[in-house]
Amino acid sequence: MSMSSKEIRQKFLDYFESKGHLILPSAPLVPQNDPSLLWINAGMAPFKPYFNGRATPPKTRIVTSQKCIRTNDIENVGKTDRHHTFFEMLGNFSFGDYFKEEAIEWAYNFLVEEMEFEKDRIWISIYKDDDEAFEIWKEKIGIPSERIVRMGKDENFWQIGTGPCGPCSEIHYDLGAEFGCSDNCEFGCDCDRYREVWNLVFTQYDYTEEGKYDPLPNKNIDTGMGLERLASIIQQVDSNFETDLFMPIIEFVSQHTEYDYQSSEEVKSAYRVIADHIRSVTLAIGDGVLPSNEGRGYIIRRVLRRAVRYAQKLDLELPFLYRIVPVVVDIMGGEYTEIVEKEDQIKKAIKSEEIKFQETLDQGMEILDELIDELEQEGKEIIPGQDVFTLYDTYGFPKELTEEIAKENGYEIDVEGFEEAMEEQRARARAAQKDHDWSSAEIELFKEIRSEIDTPKFVGYTKPECETEVVKIIKDNELVDNLSAGEEGQVILTQTPFYAESGGQIGDKGALLNDDITVTVVDTQEKAELISHQIVIEAGELSVGDKLTAKIQTDQRLHIRRNHTATHLLHQTLKDVLGEHVDQSGSLVTPNRLRFDFTHFEAVSDKELEEIEDQVNKVIRRNLNVEVLETTLEEAEEMGAAALFNEKYEDEVRVIGIGDYSLELCGGTHVDATGEISLFKISSEGGIAAGIRRIEAVTGKEALNYINQQENILKQAASALKTTPDELVDRIDKLQSKIKDLEEEVTKFKNKLADSQADEVVSDLEEINGINVILEKVEGLDAEGLRTMGDNIKADLDSGIIILASNLGEKVLFVSLVTDDLVEKGYNAGQIIGEVARVAGGGGGGRPDMAQAGGSQPNKLDAALEKARELIAAE
């Protein structure tokens, strides 16, 4: 029989629902509160808390079709019939309920009764010592003993470190001799004849630190079956890529390229890479992961850029991959509705990334080709790590992409050298980060203090001042008993209203006072979980044990509270206006302004910024109450409170709720009602990294000051142009039109100048190596004029090479042209001009028949032209 992948998936879920299983939707690809995983990579991954007993499942029997991403074998994707970066894993799970007998019986019956597998084609592998599984398969199911193969721990025992583990049994299907590597192919061969279909894991032991396998009191079942592989068997096709999960994509691509899918293995591989990778990227972006240079975003960027490279191999007109998204949505949107809801966002994100990569891919490939040519000439086989790093850092080439291209050409990369260059970059970044660059000795000191004293109490959420006592004083990284007037240091108190910098909110300032002592607190930081007050002694002498009043600067705190609450409103509004893919990636809250970094794939338009600003101000005017709730992390998640994926939270957390509008985990200080913010004004929006945007804004009085400043600038601009602010735009339009007319006149003049000079230059023609060559310096021509002059000269030459240089005072411009007959003989304008420009402290390139370049050292212009003579003579 033949079934669609949708029918196969649904039959699986329905079958196990009939056996008492709860059908759960697929978990997102991004693991929730599991820092050990980059992606959900197996059906059981979302259920780890149920397997290890940390949480109680909603039911002891569960069945899912789970989205998964694995990229550890990405170089094999496209080359084999069954490697994928994205796949769906069908799985049924038992948490202390049924065990081997039911798991085996149901798996067998599903394949035979629902999928109509032929019984005599089914082969079984089991762990070598699992006699119980052998007896079930042989006696209860009726599989002949010769088709039950015992295998070792590597093949049929599931274990990762200490903890729950157990033997597994794999179901294989014999596809027939035509799929084998020979007529004598036997079970266990790496070829495709005996296709692994389903893995049943029997979690029955607890592996201890002492190396013992103790029986678990509650045994679990974890199974996994790839939908793609099952569909290839049911649909009777040669590979996973010929199933209905991939073929609509392949057929769509085939409509836009002249290369037929079956024309060659290389072409087939390109089709498959594109089909696989676009599924991964679509589903990942649908779950909120945008291409970037960090973490999951880097993986998605790498996958997408690999697909772009293979699209180029099919001569597809880029950007192209984003056009495949609707096809993926049509195939998978019924099961994974998030990609239906976010289809437009996914297309925009992919298109944006394609355009960015396309801008640098050709240049990077040219550099890589040159590197490989140099290695070939030198007889070397390893691309230096520094070169790999330059391609990554400057041209956006993932290390893995360089490595893959190198392998295709028979070369390797210096991975260790690349990592060293990466570490040097990180070191430079750390050195440049002056803020909070605490020494290890200082941190160790604070850890020691923390072990000796009770944890100081923070009372600043509700009190702007409190009575306190000095516990420790630190000066120059050493504990001291006192500080005198004029000295600086750090102090730890028994309790404090001072908020230590955290979550983007800067630390409080203020004072420590009593009748004899005046101390200014210039900053507050958290070090080793202690609140450190950075202080200056204004009067008196401060000693350990002194009792004082600690007072924060209430005006500063008020402005900080306004800005911090405004960041929460902004975060939610960005999701509402731009899409749920928006996530916070950084923030800064000071008294004067706020800064909010977020994931987004393109610049925010003026219209969107206006809508964002308007919506935040509407919420401010609603004067919503801001409520603080202290609860458990689990309860906060159930409430739907927003959290940062990379943030580590304690079991007890603080939730900030703003009316019915926003709910976030946050330890910062906030206003009591949104009306206190008064006014919100965006001052700037821009990109700070690939896939990361930044909005800066002001609130309250600072917002009013900003508007007044902009108004004054507008008045000054109007006055300078002798008009009114209302008529300023019209005045600018007229001036721009006039400037355009003048520029056209200047261009005409330059072209006439270029024409007249061209006639003079032709008379200076010289012959080098039997070739007509013109090497000439001209004065005052810009790039366009220089090209025009070169074209005019070339039109008068039947055969020749032209190199012109224009001295512009602080810089020099070059243009090189080669007639078609000489291009055919191997002369290349781009290569010539690149070396010529380097002599003058610059660089450039272009096509074989025309190229241009620039230099920063006009005094070396003569030497540069002499270099041109040498290059032409050496050909």
Side-chain angles (χ1 to χ4, degrees), residues 84 136 289 317 522 620 762 781 841:
H84 303 293
I136 296 170
V289 181
E317 187 176 342
V522 296
I620 290 171
V762 172
L781 282 185

Side-chain angles (χ1 to χ4, degrees), residues 418-467:
F418 172 82
E419 294 299 339
E420 287 176 3
M422 282 291 290
E423 183 52 41
E424 287 173 9
Q425 186 194 56
R426 295 187 190 105
R428 288 192 296 270
R430 288 193 293 268
Q433 182 65 35
K434 299 297 183 184
D435 295 340
H436 319 325
D437 190 14
W438 305 316
S439 67
S440 58
E442 184 177 15
I443 293 299
E444 289 304 316
L445 175 62
F446 273 83
K447 286 181 179 178
E448 184 180 330
I449 294 170
R450 187 185 63 190
S451 67
E452 295 174 355
I453 66 173
D454 294 333
T455 303
K457 185 178 180 183
F458 174 66
V459 299
Y461 287 134
T462 56
K463 297 178 181 179
E465 64 179 80
C466 70
E467 301 305 311

Side-chain angles (χ1 to χ4, degrees), residues 4-235:
S4 71
S5 57
K6 291 179 183 178
E7 291 173 322
I8 295 170
R9 186 194 296 115
Q10 195 58 51
K11 275 183 174 288
F12 176 82
L13 297 173
D14 291 345
Y15 179 84
F16 280 96
E17 186 179 38
S18 74
K19 303 299 181 186
H21 291 66
L22 172 67
I23 299 176
L24 289 182
S26 172
L29 286 164
V30 178
Q32 309 295 300
N33 298 307
D34 187 354
S36 68
L37 288 177
L38 198 62
W39 301 102
I40 293 297
N41 58 9
M44 60 78 62
F47 303 135
K48 284 169 65 176
Y50 303 153
F51 281 110
N52 59 29
R54 288 192 294 111
T56 303
K59 194 170 184 179
T60 55
R61 298 182 181 187
I62 286 174
V63 61
T64 62
S65 176
Q66 175 61 48
K67 298 178 291 186
C68 300
I69 281 183
R70 292 181 191 171
T71 58
N72 52 311
D73 289 329
I74 191 171
E75 67 278 0
N76 289 322
V77 174
K79 297 177 182 177
T80 73
D81 291 335
R82 58 184 184 273
H83 277 94
H84 303 293
T85 55
F86 173 89
F87 59 95
E88 295 178 75
M89 187 170 281
L90 307 173
N92 56 292
F93 307 90
S94 167
F95 306 105
D97 192 323
Y98 62 84
F99 199 48
K100 286 184 189 178
E101 188 169 332
E102 295 89 343
I104 290 173
E105 182 180 0
W106 291 339
Y108 178 80
N109 288 343
F110 174 76
L111 293 177
V112 171
E113 296 171 5
E114 301 295 326
M115 298 293 104
E116 298 186 5
F117 272 31
E118 296 178 29
K119 295 179 181 180
D120 58 1
R121 289 191 175 209
I122 293 175
W123 284 69
I124 306 298
S125 67
I126 61 172
Y127 179 53
K128 61 184 179 66
D129 296 333
D130 194 353
D131 295 331
E132 182 184 4
F134 181 86
E135 290 301 318
I136 296 170
W137 279 116
K138 184 175 184 297
E139 302 300 331
K140 187 170 183 64
I141 304 302
I143 302 293
S145 55
E146 62 268 19
R147 295 211 310 269
I148 305 173
V149 181
R150 294 178 184 262
M151 291 185 152
K153 207 167 188 178
D154 289 343
E155 293 84 5
N156 280 77
F157 197 96
W158 186 87
Q159 179 179 342
I160 302 177
T162 57
C165 59
C168 59
S169 179
E170 294 175 338
I171 303 174
H172 304 254
Y173 197 62
D174 181 1
L175 298 179
E178 63 270 25
F179 284 87
C181 55
S182 69
D183 293 338
N184 299 320
C185 180
E186 295 182 352
F187 181 83
C189 181
D190 286 337
C191 70
D192 281 339
R193 174 171 178 174
Y194 298 94
R195 183 96 34 108
E196 179 192 333
V197 180
W198 205 341
N199 190 13
L200 315 178
V201 179
F202 313 126
T203 311
Q204 63 189 90
Y205 299 113
D206 180 24
Y207 184 65
T208 67
E209 296 284 355
E210 294 76 29
K212 295 181 179 179
Y213 290 93
D214 294 334
L216 283 171
N218 293 316
K219 299 173 182 178
N220 303 318
I221 289 293
D222 158 27
T223 84
M225 175 165 55
L227 175 61
E228 294 80 4
R229 194 172 296 188
L230 180 59
S232 72
I233 296 172
I234 299 300
Q235 295 173 12

Side-chain angles (χ1 to χ4, degrees), residues 511-577:
L512 306 175
L513 306 164
N514 65 22
D515 292 341
D516 304 315
I517 305 166
T518 301
V519 177
T520 298
V521 178
V522 296
D523 194 11
T524 311
Q525 298 291 331
E526 182 181 308
K527 299 180 183 181
E529 299 178 17
L530 293 174
I531 297 176
S532 168
H533 307 76
Q534 322 291 303
I535 60 169
V536 177
I537 311 299
E538 306 293 349
E541 182 177 85
L542 182 70
S543 302
V544 173
D546 281 348
K547 293 180 170 56
L548 312 105
T549 300
K551 301 175 67 173
I552 65 170
Q553 282 185 10
T554 52
D555 283 350
Q556 173 181 288
R557 172 70 77 81
L558 176 61
H559 296 318
I560 287 173
R561 289 169 64 197
R562 285 174 177 151
N563 285 339
H564 203 153
T565 304
T567 64
H568 284 222
L569 298 181
L570 176 60
H571 189 186
Q572 183 58 49
T573 301
L574 288 168
K575 286 181 175 289
D576 292 344
V577 175

Side-chain angles (χ1 to χ4, degrees), residues 677-697:
I677 300 171
S678 180
L679 179 64
F680 173 86
K681 184 67 185 172
I682 295 173
S683 56
S684 69
E685 188 278 336
I688 59 168
I692 305 293
R693 309 297 299 180
R694 170 174 290 173
I695 281 180
E696 297 201 18

